[in-house]
Amino acid sequence: DAKTTQPTSMDCAEGRAANLPCNHSTISGNEYVYWYRQIHSQGPQYIIHGLKNNETNEMASLIITEDRKSSTLILPHATLRDTAVYYCIVRPSPIQGAQKLVFGQGTRLTINP
Amino acid sequence: NAGVTQTPKFRILKIGQSMTLQCTQDMNHNYMYWYRQDPGMGLKLIYYSVGAGITDKGEVPNGYNVSRSTTEDFPLRLELAAPSQTSVYFCASSLPFGQPQHFGDGTRLSIL
């Protein structure tokens, strides 16, 4: 499985866009990029996933570079409740059965008032 | 919808004791998973199941057992608790084909 690299921590002002980078330079053609977050000590929460096209949902946008070696999660208008650890995970195609997620240490995002 | 429910929320065990962590989901998901999370670390997969009667090992299965007799329930058993099993345990469930996993709120377990 492809390894991901994320900054250890980031800060963002409330109301601004939070842009969280993820490097996955060894990603293969059938691997998807998933983003989850963990608020304080709660269970992780799914945010978004994609293969090669940019994706958007009610929570965030995912921008994947053309060569797929990196991606950026965008929270368009960050609020204090978005303070969490954000995990970027690369996994094989969904058709290959159970998704055995591998969580690294993620990025600790702090939203400041 | 309750989603994924884990019980108990907290537990303290003595070395050598056994216990079962309960997990139930009401979303009719085929797939269920158990993870553990040590302080300051990401989650590690212990066991998973793709349906009733089918279970398989994850990354860190030693010291644990699971069973899946119904679609809804996926209990995790610790037979001989050891201090290294002090952790937060998360259960998750999902539909097939890479659909998002839904997590419970966790069980915080201390082995003393």
Side-chain angles (χ1 to χ4, degrees), chain A residues 36-47 84-85 87 103, chain B residues 4 6 9 35 37 43 88-92 101-108:
Chain A
Y36 282 76
R37 72 181 182 183
Q38 189 172 22
I39 296 173
H40 192 43
S41 51
Q42 298 175 18
Q45 177 188 27
Y46 166 80
I47 302 172
V85 178
Y87 297 99
F103 288 78
Chain B
V4 178
Q6 293 184 237
K9 294 190 184 306
Y35 295 87
Q37 184 174 32
L43 283 71
V88 182
Y89 292 83
F90 290 102
C91 178
Q101 292 185 21
H102 299 258
F103 286 80
D105 289 333
T107 293
R108 284 148 187 79

XYZ file of all heavy atoms in Angstrom, chain A residues 36-47 84-85 87 103, chain B residues 4 6 9 35 37 43 88-92 101-108:
299
model
N -10.233 10.991 6.675
C -11.032 10.871 7.891
C -10.510 11.909 8.879
O -9.389 12.384 8.762
C -10.884 9.477 8.533
C -11.667 8.379 7.864
C -11.233 7.824 6.671
C -12.828 7.881 8.442
C -11.947 6.795 6.056
C -13.551 6.852 7.843
C -13.101 6.321 6.653
O -13.816 5.314 6.052
N -11.329 12.241 9.877
C -10.846 13.084 10.953
C -11.307 12.520 12.289
O -12.286 11.790 12.367
C -11.332 14.526 10.798
C -12.810 14.756 11.064
C -13.160 16.207 10.859
N -14.565 16.483 11.146
C -15.129 17.681 10.987
N -14.417 18.712 10.541
N -16.405 17.853 11.286
N -10.571 12.894 13.342
C -10.895 12.433 14.677
C -10.913 13.649 15.588
O -9.878 14.286 15.810
C -9.870 11.399 15.155
C -10.262 10.712 16.442
C -9.337 9.566 16.789
O -8.192 9.501 16.342
N -9.820 8.633 17.602
N -12.088 13.957 16.071
C -12.279 15.107 16.953
C -12.073 14.665 18.386
O -12.758 13.754 18.862
C -13.682 15.711 16.768
C -13.816 16.247 15.337
C -13.940 16.814 17.785
C -15.201 16.719 14.974
N -11.116 15.285 19.043
C -10.750 14.954 20.419
C -10.580 13.442 20.530
O -9.788 12.862 19.811
C -11.788 15.513 21.398
C -11.335 15.455 22.827
N -10.063 15.787 23.207
C -11.982 15.081 23.946
C -9.947 15.630 24.515
N -11.111 15.204 24.994
N -11.293 12.753 21.356
C -11.091 11.319 21.542
C -12.277 10.515 21.014
O -12.470 9.372 21.380
C -10.891 11.031 23.029
O -11.918 11.610 23.787
N -13.034 11.117 20.084
C -14.165 10.405 19.500
C -13.686 9.423 18.439
O -12.503 9.421 18.062
C -15.133 11.403 18.869
C -15.751 12.386 19.834
C -16.594 13.423 19.120
O -16.983 13.239 17.967
N -16.883 14.516 19.789
N -14.574 8.614 17.927
C -14.245 7.739 16.818
C -14.019 8.541 15.548
O -14.591 9.614 15.365
N -13.171 8.055 14.651
C -12.920 8.771 13.399
C -14.207 8.969 12.600
O -15.131 8.176 12.674
C -11.944 7.853 12.657
C -11.258 7.089 13.733
C -12.304 6.883 14.788
N -14.212 10.045 11.820
C -15.363 10.413 10.994
C -14.915 10.509 9.549
O -13.936 11.193 9.240
C -15.917 11.757 11.468
C -17.072 12.298 10.646
C -17.453 13.714 11.049
O -16.636 14.477 11.547
N -18.699 14.088 10.817
N -15.619 9.834 8.658
C -15.315 9.909 7.233
C -15.585 11.311 6.704
O -16.589 11.951 7.070
C -16.170 8.903 6.473
C -16.204 9.107 4.973
C -15.169 8.659 4.169
C -17.283 9.734 4.381
C -15.204 8.843 2.804
C -17.324 9.921 3.012
C -16.290 9.479 2.221
O -16.329 9.663 0.870
N -14.696 11.811 5.820
C -14.918 13.121 5.222
C -15.205 12.983 3.726
O -16.248 13.404 3.240
C -13.691 14.040 5.429
C -13.383 14.212 6.917
C -13.949 15.407 4.774
C -12.082 14.955 7.181
N -9.308 19.136 14.917
C -9.287 17.672 14.948
C -7.964 17.191 14.370
O -7.173 17.980 13.852
C -10.442 17.097 14.128
N -7.745 15.882 14.433
C -6.645 15.249 13.712
C -7.207 14.710 12.405
O -8.211 13.993 12.404
C -6.004 14.110 14.534
C -4.898 13.441 13.723
C -5.455 14.646 15.844
N -6.678 12.529 8.934
C -5.908 11.414 8.404
C -6.129 11.280 6.898
O -7.266 11.215 6.432
C -6.335 10.099 9.058
C -6.093 10.018 10.545
C -7.119 10.260 11.447
C -4.832 9.679 11.048
C -6.899 10.166 12.815
C -4.614 9.582 12.408
C -5.647 9.826 13.280
O -5.428 9.724 14.631
N -4.128 3.857 9.499
C -4.061 5.238 9.950
C -2.632 5.575 10.370
O -2.052 4.899 11.197
C -4.966 5.442 11.163
C -6.437 5.430 10.871
C -7.102 4.229 10.671
C -7.153 6.609 10.793
C -8.463 4.201 10.400
C -8.510 6.594 10.520
C -9.167 5.393 10.322
N -23.265 2.923 15.299
C -22.419 1.909 15.922
C -22.356 2.196 17.424
O -21.965 3.292 17.815
C -21.001 1.919 15.324
C -20.130 0.888 16.037
C -21.043 1.658 13.826
N -20.936 1.010 21.175
C -19.939 0.220 21.890
C -20.196 0.291 23.392
O -20.491 1.355 23.930
C -18.532 0.749 21.611
C -18.079 0.565 20.181
C -16.642 1.021 20.012
O -16.335 1.890 19.193
N -15.734 0.421 20.775
N -18.096 1.989 27.974
C -17.296 3.142 27.544
C -15.933 3.142 28.237
O -14.951 3.598 27.672
C -18.040 4.444 27.837
C -19.312 4.612 27.034
C -19.876 6.004 27.171
C -21.194 6.135 26.440
N -21.106 5.725 25.034
N -10.555 -1.819 15.822
C -9.275 -1.132 15.822
C -8.877 -0.843 17.267
O -9.719 -0.719 18.143
C -9.358 0.223 15.101
C -9.651 0.175 13.623
C -10.956 0.146 13.149
C -8.617 0.217 12.693
C -11.229 0.131 11.791
C -8.877 0.203 11.323
C -10.185 0.165 10.887
O -10.445 0.156 9.539
N -6.291 2.059 19.425
C -5.541 3.287 19.283
C -4.784 3.558 20.568
O -5.383 3.819 21.613
C -6.457 4.468 18.958
C -5.693 5.762 18.707
C -6.592 6.894 18.252
O -7.755 6.974 18.648
N -6.066 7.779 17.410
N -4.890 4.585 14.408
C -5.587 3.338 14.706
C -4.914 2.165 14.006
O -4.394 2.301 12.894
C -7.043 3.419 14.234
C -8.018 4.210 15.096
C -7.754 5.705 15.017
C -9.445 3.897 14.676
N -7.457 2.457 23.585
C -8.838 2.781 23.254
C -9.236 1.912 22.070
O -8.508 1.856 21.068
C -9.026 4.269 22.896
C -10.494 4.554 22.604
C -8.527 5.157 24.029
N -10.357 1.235 22.186
C -10.802 0.292 21.167
C -12.001 0.879 20.426
O -12.985 1.305 21.036
C -11.169 -1.041 21.811
C -9.972 -1.755 22.364
C -9.462 -1.465 23.621
C -9.308 -2.716 21.600
C -8.336 -2.094 24.112
C -8.187 -3.370 22.085
C -7.703 -3.049 23.335
O -6.583 -3.683 23.820
N -11.888 0.889 19.105
C -12.968 1.400 18.259
C -13.503 0.289 17.374
O -12.746 -0.451 16.759
C -12.474 2.539 17.364
C -12.154 3.798 18.110
C -10.843 4.133 18.383
C -13.165 4.651 18.514
C -10.537 5.300 19.064
C -12.875 5.823 19.197
C -11.558 6.139 19.476
N -14.822 0.240 17.302
C -15.506 -0.657 16.383
C -16.044 0.181 15.226
O -16.415 1.350 15.419
C -16.651 -1.360 17.108
S -17.646 -2.466 16.097
N -16.072 -0.377 14.035
C -16.590 0.330 12.869
C -17.369 -0.634 11.998
O -17.193 -1.854 12.087
C -15.452 0.965 12.071
N -16.379 3.955 6.401
C -16.571 3.256 7.667
C -17.185 4.215 8.692
O -16.802 5.377 8.782
C -15.233 2.708 8.174
C -14.704 1.592 7.281
C -13.456 0.942 7.811
O -13.146 1.012 9.007
N -12.717 0.288 6.931
N -18.125 3.683 9.462
C -18.783 4.438 10.531
C -18.266 3.891 11.852
O -18.338 2.680 12.087
C -20.295 4.286 10.443
C -20.866 4.803 9.169
N -21.496 6.020 9.068
C -20.887 4.263 7.922
C -21.884 6.212 7.819
N -21.538 5.168 7.101
N -17.765 4.779 12.697
C -17.126 4.365 13.937
C -18.014 4.610 15.155
O -18.807 5.558 15.189
C -15.819 5.135 14.130
C -14.708 4.682 13.232
C -14.653 5.100 11.920
C -13.724 3.836 13.707
C -13.622 4.676 11.073
C -12.687 3.413 12.889
C -12.643 3.830 11.567
N -17.826 3.749 16.164
C -18.420 3.993 17.461
C -17.575 4.984 18.251
O -16.543 5.459 17.779
N -18.003 5.276 19.481
C -17.312 6.260 20.316
C -16.156 5.673 21.118
O -15.472 6.392 21.834
C -18.304 6.936 21.267
C -19.240 7.880 20.536
O -18.832 8.403 19.471
O -20.368 8.080 21.010
N -15.963 4.373 21.030
C -14.796 3.777 21.654
C -15.025 3.228 23.055
O -15.952 3.635 23.756
N -14.163 2.276 23.432
C -14.090 1.753 24.793
C -12.681 2.013 25.294
O -11.709 1.582 24.663
C -14.371 0.249 24.844
O -15.725 -0.001 24.488
C -14.104 -0.308 26.240
N -12.581 2.735 26.409
C -11.267 3.034 27.003
C -10.948 1.982 28.035
O -11.637 1.887 29.049
C -11.283 4.434 27.593
C -11.188 5.496 26.532
C -11.919 6.764 26.855
N -11.892 7.663 25.697
C -12.689 7.553 24.636
N -13.584 6.608 24.569
N -12.572 8.402 23.637
